[in-house]
Amino acid sequence: MLNLALQMGATKTPEAVLFWIMAPVAVIAALGMLFAKKAVHSALLLAWVMITLAFFYIAEGALFLGIVQVVVYTGAVMMLFLFILMLVGVDSSDSLVETIKGQRATAIVAAIGLGGLLLSLVGRATVGAQAIGVETANVKGNVQGLAEELFTKYVWAFEVVSALLITAALGAMVLAHSQNTKSRTAQRDQSIARFRKSSLAEAAGLPAPGVFARHNAVDVPALLPDGSAAAASISGTLKSRGDMLESAIFELEVKEVEED
Amino acid sequence: MDISNYLYLSAALFTIGAVGVVVRRNAIVVFMCVELMLNAANLAFVTFSRLNGNLDGQVASFFTMVVAACEVVIGLAIIVTIFRSRRSASVDDASLLKR
Amino acid sequence: MNANNAIVLLIALPLFSSAILLLSGRKSDKWGHLLATAVSATTFVIGVYEFFQMHSRPSTDRPLTQKLFEWISVGGFQVDASLLLDQLSICFVLLITGVGTLIHIYSIEYMSHDHNRRRFFAYLNLFIAAMLLLVLGDSYLNLYVGWEGVGLASYLLIGFWNQKPAYATAAKKAFVANRVGDVGLSLAIMIAFTQFGTVTFAGVKAGAPHASPAALTALGAMLLLAAAGKSAQFPLQSWLGDAMAGPTPVSALIHAATMVTAGVYLITRSNFVFDASPTAQAMVVTVGAITLLFGAIIGTAKDDIKKALAASTMSQIGYMILATGLGPIGYAFAILHLLTHGFFKAGMFLGAGSVMHGMDDEVNMRRYGGLAKAMPITAVTFSLGYLAILGVPPFAGFYSKDKIIETALNAGGAKGILLGGATLLGAAITAFYMTRVIVLTFTGAKRWDSKAHPHESPILMWLPMAILAIGSVASGFLLSSGSALVNWLQPIVNAGHHEHNEELLKPAVVSSLALGLVLVGVLTAVFKYRTVPVDAPTKVSIFTTAARKDLYQDSFNEAVLMHPGQKLTTGLVYTDEQVIDGTVRGVGSSLSIISTAMRKIQNGYVRSYALVMVLGVLALVTTIWLVTL
């Protein structure tokens, strides 16, 4: 694949083919990311856009950046995103209904304005400009060329950025570190808390899920003595994920006892 | 193929990112949109590098990536902290500035 | 006891005692009056000691100063809380503590039925402390503290029976009228500071010869205003009559003998200002002459014994003020008259109090009559005071008042004739109204109803009266024999080198003239009041009506000051509420409306802010693009 991209970058027509296939897909993916209801979908679509961009980098003669794009962005950053998504809750799907009045309309106007402005600016700046190409700069190899730039001309910025990275790592540690201000509630404390509640109904603990003899999976609520489903018997995570079966299908039919 | 097509693509992605930042409420998605904007800028840099025939654009793009990595680390840490205290990842819930 | 360090005790002791009595509450009811009287007597002893110490020193070393602490130190402006005891102050110290102690003793009995007697004595001690600070301060600013202190004490004591609204109003009236004068004093202090950079008497005295006449005249006018306020002089005289609402010992001490003479003290103390400004002196004599006639005329028509005496006080202080306006020689006579007046007027007030005490607090003289038999001691002491105020030789008034009349006549030219005429006329009217008081009260048929049982007052009351009566008889002779007081005060008021006008009349002629006029006044009164109707006649001449109404001073104040003032205040309140508040509220509500609109932008949503940023970038880039197009 890498070789394919490199070859395509070297020639004119294949690059155009690559661009015209992948650019629309990237735009569609980006738009999809905008409209996806679930954050996970957005993350995956973004990862796709980033991989596309990696292709383009390589096609444009920025081999090093292309690799870094894949390794750092798609590999590390996006994984971090997904990791946090899992931590925060996959179920936190975003309602797309706008709550701030006029926000969406203004945003669309602003987007059209910004997009139009950028496009016209780019067009104005590049019309008739001939690309010089990085072939001469990459004569010793793209990585070597970049290294030369980084360690001579941009060495100061490079050092500053290293400090920035260290600071960011420290900052993340400080921010993410949570200090327990209260001692962790142990089983004993939970028991006491249960009995301290206003009603003693829950003192015995929550009912276990599953309808005996019919279905005993954790995603089926238990039945109360009167035959109705006990919602409290299902784990909250399953409930919010929607992975809960209707216990009605396992419910006993209430038969009327005929009296002699 | 005209090389400025990359720039048009960059502009389009940037705008989409900007709209995402403004429209989406989930802090993580908002953050991803910011990343999209940064990537669009990177693409522009790389293209400029090719247009000008030197590697300065690529170096700028490299620095952008580093800074973006830092930003992601800190930003996500902040999101986790906020989520921990407010049980919400919506940027609209963190509207304490109003009061 | 060090003479120098004891000065502060004069002020500190009564102040401390007053604080004890006010703070200790009902616990001290039993012994409070005794403590206050003892403290007052102690200050008198200290005063006497200081006097003899001073007397034994040579004339140049007599003034003593005691610096208590540095009070104000602002840049070049330095004021020390510092006391000055010189020949002038010691006269006042002796008068205040001496008469004050007698009146304390008198009050023990007089106020014995009042369950707030302790509070009364606390105020009396507060007054003594403030009055002593007034006369002992070595700068106008220190004096000002005492000045306000006596104002406060006077207010508290006039309104002592403040359960009666009329008395409380009288106290307020005195306070407000005094406030006008106080403004004058504070302005005087400011003028002194801007002109001389200091407010001490010594500093102003040193600077006075170099100051501009206009500044000195302004300073003198402001000091005169202050004196007029405190001493009930025209045009601020209206409060004194109402001040009689206070208990009679208060009237005797504060509103006859001491506080009201503070104006005379102030002018005498500032003699260097007035000597350097003939205009200010002219104002002083004018005020004095007007007031002495004003008070005398009011006195002829009053049926309330205390108000008649109050009018008399006003008139007598008019004499003193007039004397202070007559240049160096006048000051000494003013102080002489002040001291003798302190004796005889306090004595007469105490006598009036004794009469009221025996007559169940009846103040209307038309319901007295023939009381001499019932209360002989009171009648005798009162009569001695009466003879003293008339200026009959050899009683005290003869030595002081005749000197003032004489000096006024000798002021030279038309001024001398006018002033001398006024003082002589005043003497005649004084004789008339004082005889009227005597005749109505002590002689003639008894007019009281059967319920009253006039009786002589107990010893604690008549003893002070007797002592003051002795003073009324002897003080004039003692103080003026060999020009004792004049020589004593000479270093302070420069009495030595007064300009010699040619004498208009010989002293003997003046005295005979005055005595003749007094005789006319006495005979007129005796003739007119052979019979006295119990109810005041209503069909009287417009002059009597005017005098009864205090020569329309209250009506004048109300018409000229109060009603326009109320109109102005109403207008100001309206302006304040509608224009100023309206503007403020308008600004506030318009801001609130704008804020309400603006607040919608500040909705707290990060996304809105981001959108605004996007729009901003858009606007910025567009602008740059358009500019560089």
Side-chain angles (χ1 to χ4, degrees):
Chain A
M1 204 175 191
L2 188 66
N3 283 328
L4 178 73
L6 280 170
Q7 281 169 8
M8 280 180 169
T11 49
K12 280 262 173 189
T13 321
E15 192 190 348
V17 171
L18 178 75
F19 182 83
W20 288 118
I21 291 171
M22 296 201 81
V25 177
V27 172
I28 288 165
L31 285 172
M33 180 193 148
L34 202 59
F35 294 116
K37 221 175 167 191
K38 292 200 173 188
V40 188
H41 299 164
S42 291
L44 292 175
L45 288 168
L46 181 61
W48 173 248
V49 174
M50 285 173 172
I51 290 173
T52 311
L53 289 184
F55 272 93
F56 289 159
Y57 291 167
I58 295 167
E60 290 207 79
L63 179 63
F64 179 70
L65 284 180
I67 304 291
V68 169
Q69 174 83 359
V70 173
V71 173
V72 173
Y73 260 119
T74 325
V77 172
M78 286 321 296
M79 285 317 111
L80 199 56
F81 266 112
L82 286 173
F83 185 72
I84 297 299
L85 270 176
M86 294 304 159
L87 196 70
V88 166
V90 214
D91 55 303
S92 60
S93 65
D94 208 359
S95 148
L96 289 179
V97 179
E98 185 55 59
T99 47
I100 305 174
K101 212 173 118 192
Q103 173 86 359
R104 187 158 286 174
T106 324
I108 289 167
V109 172
I112 292 169
L114 188 68
L117 187 67
L118 284 176
L119 292 178
S120 55
L121 277 175
V122 167
R124 186 166 167 266
T126 55
V127 160
Q130 270 305 310
I132 298 167
V134 282
E135 286 77 19
T136 21
N138 278 348
V139 109
K140 282 188 250 170
N142 177 250
V143 180
Q144 285 83 348
L146 264 181
E148 210 177 305
E149 291 270 308
L150 266 183
F151 295 119
T152 55
K153 202 171 164 186
Y154 292 99
V155 69
W156 177 238
F158 185 76
E159 293 298 332
V160 170
V161 157
S162 71
L164 181 69
L165 267 173
I166 296 280
T167 317
L170 270 175
M173 265 158 37
V174 169
L175 282 171
H177 178 71
S178 73
Q179 215 157 12
N180 280 330
T181 48
K182 287 182 278 188
S183 60
R184 214 173 271 277
T185 47
Q187 210 169 9
R188 180 185 159 77
D189 304 314
Q190 286 175 355
S191 294
I192 292 172
R194 270 210 296 277
F195 279 91
R196 291 261 163 85
K197 278 182 183 164
S198 54
S199 91
L200 280 176
E202 292 170 35
L206 297 172
V211 182
F212 290 131
R214 295 280 186 107
H215 200 294
N216 60 354
V218 288
D219 55 351
V220 178
L223 290 179
L224 292 173
D226 63 350
S228 62
S233 64
I234 300 295
S235 147
T237 316
L238 289 177
K239 239 187 281 178
S240 63
R241 220 199 273 165
D243 288 341
M244 193 170 92
L245 289 181
E246 274 296 315
S247 56
I249 47 177
F250 306 108
E251 208 175 309
L252 287 170
E253 286 167 35
V254 182
K255 286 179 182 163
E256 288 179 18
V257 181
E258 290 173 22
E259 285 172 40
D260 302 273
Chain B
M1 189 195 76
D2 191 0
I3 205 162
S4 54
N5 283 343
Y6 285 111
L7 295 175
Y8 294 130
L9 175 63
S10 163
L13 290 179
F14 187 87
T15 309
I16 291 168
V19 173
V21 169
V22 172
V23 170
R24 294 304 298 260
R25 255 173 304 180
N26 188 327
I28 299 169
V29 177
V30 168
F31 218 39
M32 289 193 291
C33 290
V34 172
E35 291 303 315
L36 183 62
M37 289 165 80
L38 284 167
N39 271 293
N42 275 353
L43 180 60
F45 271 130
V46 171
T47 310
F48 291 148
S49 167
R50 193 172 168 201
L51 273 171
N52 290 332
N54 59 31
L55 293 177
D56 288 344
Q58 292 189 18
V59 173
S61 182
F62 171 78
F63 282 131
T64 311
M65 282 181 184
V66 179
V67 172
C70 296
E71 179 229 338
V72 164
V73 168
I74 296 293
L76 288 177
I78 291 173
I79 288 171
V80 168
T81 314
I82 291 178
F83 182 78
R84 202 182 278 148
S85 61
R86 306 183 72 86
R87 310 306 304 169
S88 158
S90 168
V91 288
D92 285 1
D93 287 349
S95 59
L96 288 173
L97 277 176
K98 191 163 55 174
R99 269 155 251 149
Chain C
M1 191 162 68
N2 185 333
N4 211 349
N5 294 340
I7 305 175
V8 69
L9 286 180
L10 285 171
I11 298 164
L13 283 177
L15 196 62
F16 190 56
S17 146
S18 166
I20 289 177
L21 293 189
L22 284 177
L23 295 178
S24 60
R26 295 261 164 229
K27 272 177 230 160
S28 55
D29 271 355
K30 281 187 189 136
W31 44 266
H33 52 282
L34 299 176
L35 173 72
T37 311
V39 164
S40 180
T42 313
T43 54
F44 179 60
V45 171
I46 297 173
V48 171
Y49 168 80
E50 291 283 356
F51 171 72
F52 283 111
Q53 286 283 318
M54 186 184 284
H55 198 261
S56 65
R57 289 194 296 272
S59 173
T60 48
D61 290 347
R62 279 177 179 164
L64 288 179
T65 55
Q66 182 180 6
K67 181 182 165 182
L68 301 180
F69 53 89
E70 202 169 81
W71 181 19
I72 298 171
S73 175
V74 186
F77 182 53
Q78 296 275 344
V79 180
D80 293 336
S82 179
L83 302 178
L84 167 71
L85 185 72
D86 62 4
Q87 290 93 325
L88 180 60
S89 319
I90 195 76
C91 296
F92 276 87
V93 168
L94 289 175
L95 176 74
I96 294 159
T97 56
V99 175
T101 306
L102 291 177
I103 284 168
H104 271 80
I105 294 168
Y106 179 91
S107 306
I108 293 177
E109 191 60 44
Y110 189 85
M111 300 297 288
S112 59
H113 301 304
D114 197 306
H115 66 286
N116 280 324
R117 182 167 65 165
R118 173 188 51 83
R119 190 158 60 87
F120 179 80
F121 275 89
Y123 292 161
L124 273 190
N125 266 2
L126 175 67
F127 169 76
I128 297 270
M131 189 69 202
L132 286 172
L133 177 60
L134 194 161
V135 298
L136 286 172
D138 86 326
S139 68
Y140 285 104
L141 210 53
N142 287 333
L143 178 144
Y144 192 60
V145 177
W147 190 270
E148 294 296 326
V150 293
L152 169 69
S154 162
Y155 168 78
L156 291 172
L157 284 165
I158 294 171
F160 186 72
W161 288 317
N162 54 14
Q163 62 269 33
K164 293 188 188 169
Y167 290 8
T169 311
K172 265 188 265 177
K173 185 175 177 184
F175 203 72
V176 170
N178 267 295
R179 204 78 3 231
V180 179
D182 295 344
V183 170
L185 184 53
S186 52
L187 284 177
I189 293 172
M190 292 172 205
I191 293 170
F193 174 61
T194 51
Q195 286 296 316
F196 309 112
T198 174
V199 294
T200 60
F201 299 135
V204 177
K205 186 177 184 176
H210 316 296
S212 71
L216 285 170
T217 304
L219 184 55
M222 286 302 118
L223 288 171
L224 177 62
L225 178 62
K230 197 57 91 188
S231 295
Q233 296 297 295
F234 183 82
L236 298 175
Q237 78 286 18
S238 63
W239 64 271
L240 188 61
D242 293 298
M244 294 303 126
T248 312
V250 171
S251 309
L253 178 62
I254 301 185
H255 304 120
T258 54
M259 187 191 85
V260 286
T261 58
V264 182
Y265 170 79
L266 183 67
I267 294 177
T268 310
R269 183 54 90 187
S270 313
N271 58 72
F272 36 83
V273 175
F274 290 93
D275 287 348
S277 170
T279 320
Q281 271 187 328
M283 288 192 268
V284 171
V285 289
T286 311
V287 166
I290 292 176
T291 316
L292 88 87
L293 291 174
F294 205 103
I297 292 168
I298 292 174
T300 56
K302 287 290 169 193
D303 288 336
D304 180 327
I305 185 167
K306 282 180 74 181
K307 289 200 172 170
L309 288 174
S312 159
T313 304
M314 196 191 292
S315 166
Q316 295 301 313
I317 294 169
Y319 272 104
M320 299 172 209
I321 295 281
L322 178 93
T324 57
L326 291 174
I329 187 65
Y331 298 120
F333 296 140
I335 299 299
L336 178 63
H337 193 52
L338 193 156
L339 294 175
T340 56
H341 174 258
F343 283 111
F344 61 69
K345 186 54 66 61
M348 284 197 284
F349 259 115
L350 295 189
S354 173
V355 169
M356 285 161 60
H357 192 70
M359 295 291 291
D360 297 333
D361 287 335
E362 175 64 61
V363 291
N364 190 349
M365 290 189 287
R366 289 182 187 276
R367 297 186 187 279
Y368 294 166
L371 287 175
K373 276 179 205 145
M375 27 184 91
I377 302 174
T378 306
V380 169
T381 56
F382 198 97
S383 304
L384 291 174
Y386 160 76
L387 291 170
I389 195 174
L390 253 54
V392 176
F395 297 96
F398 169 74
Y399 295 97
S400 52
K401 203 158 97 181
D402 265 23
K403 284 289 181 195
I404 293 176
I405 296 171
E406 207 178 288
T407 319
L409 275 170
N410 291 338
K415 182 184 167 195
I417 294 169
L418 270 177
L419 294 178
T423 49
L424 283 169
L425 183 59
I429 303 177
T430 305
F432 174 79
Y433 70 74
M434 285 314 298
T435 311
R436 178 172 173 268
V437 170
I438 287 276
V439 167
L440 287 183
T441 307
F442 292 108
T443 66
K446 61 177 183 182
R447 295 183 297 276
W448 68 81
D449 50 25
S450 52
K451 272 178 276 177
H453 300 288
H455 55 274
E456 186 53 84
S457 302
I459 181 165
L460 277 184
M461 280 173 73
W462 67 254
L463 188 68
M465 284 153 61
I467 296 172
L468 288 171
I470 294 168
S472 316
V473 176
S475 63
F477 174 72
L478 290 175
L479 288 171
S480 62
S481 68
S483 300
L485 188 71
V486 175
N487 292 335
W488 176 256
L489 289 177
Q490 193 270 332
I492 306 292
V493 298
N494 273 333
H497 57 83
H498 59 95
E499 55 214 79
H500 282 277
N501 291 315
E502 77 278 25
E503 286 185 342
L504 190 66
L505 297 166
K506 293 272 177 232
V509 181
V510 175
S511 294
S512 343
L513 194 59
L515 278 174
L517 282 167
V518 163
L519 195 61
V520 170
V522 170
L523 291 176
T524 316
V526 170
F527 177 74
K528 189 168 178 350
Y529 294 104
R530 281 161 312 180
T531 55
V532 184
V534 172
D535 293 312
T538 45
K539 285 176 80 178
V540 290
S541 67
I542 53 163
F543 299 109
T544 315
T545 315
R548 278 189 190 155
K549 293 195 170 173
D550 297 340
L551 298 181
Y552 302 112
Q553 56 189 14
D554 287 335
S555 316
F556 177 82
N557 285 349
E558 278 176 19
V560 176
L561 302 172
M562 194 179 95
H563 291 308
Q566 282 173 338
K567 290 261 163 57
L568 179 67
T569 313
T570 317
L572 285 178
V573 167
Y574 180 80
T575 314
D576 182 46
E577 282 179 353
Q578 300 301 320
V579 180
I580 297 174
D581 286 6
T583 312
V584 173
R585 277 197 291 264
V587 170
S589 54
S590 54
L591 275 179
S592 153
I593 291 166
I594 295 169
S595 313
T596 313
M598 299 284 279
R599 205 182 53 181
K600 289 184 179 143
I601 300 171
Q602 286 286 332
N603 55 7
Y605 293 120
V606 180
R607 297 190 293 131
S608 289
Y609 302 157
L611 182 58
V612 172
M613 276 169 69
V614 170
L615 290 173
V617 167
L618 198 57
L620 197 67
V621 175
T622 313
T623 313
I624 293 173
W625 188 35
L626 289 176
V627 168
T628 57
L629 204 63

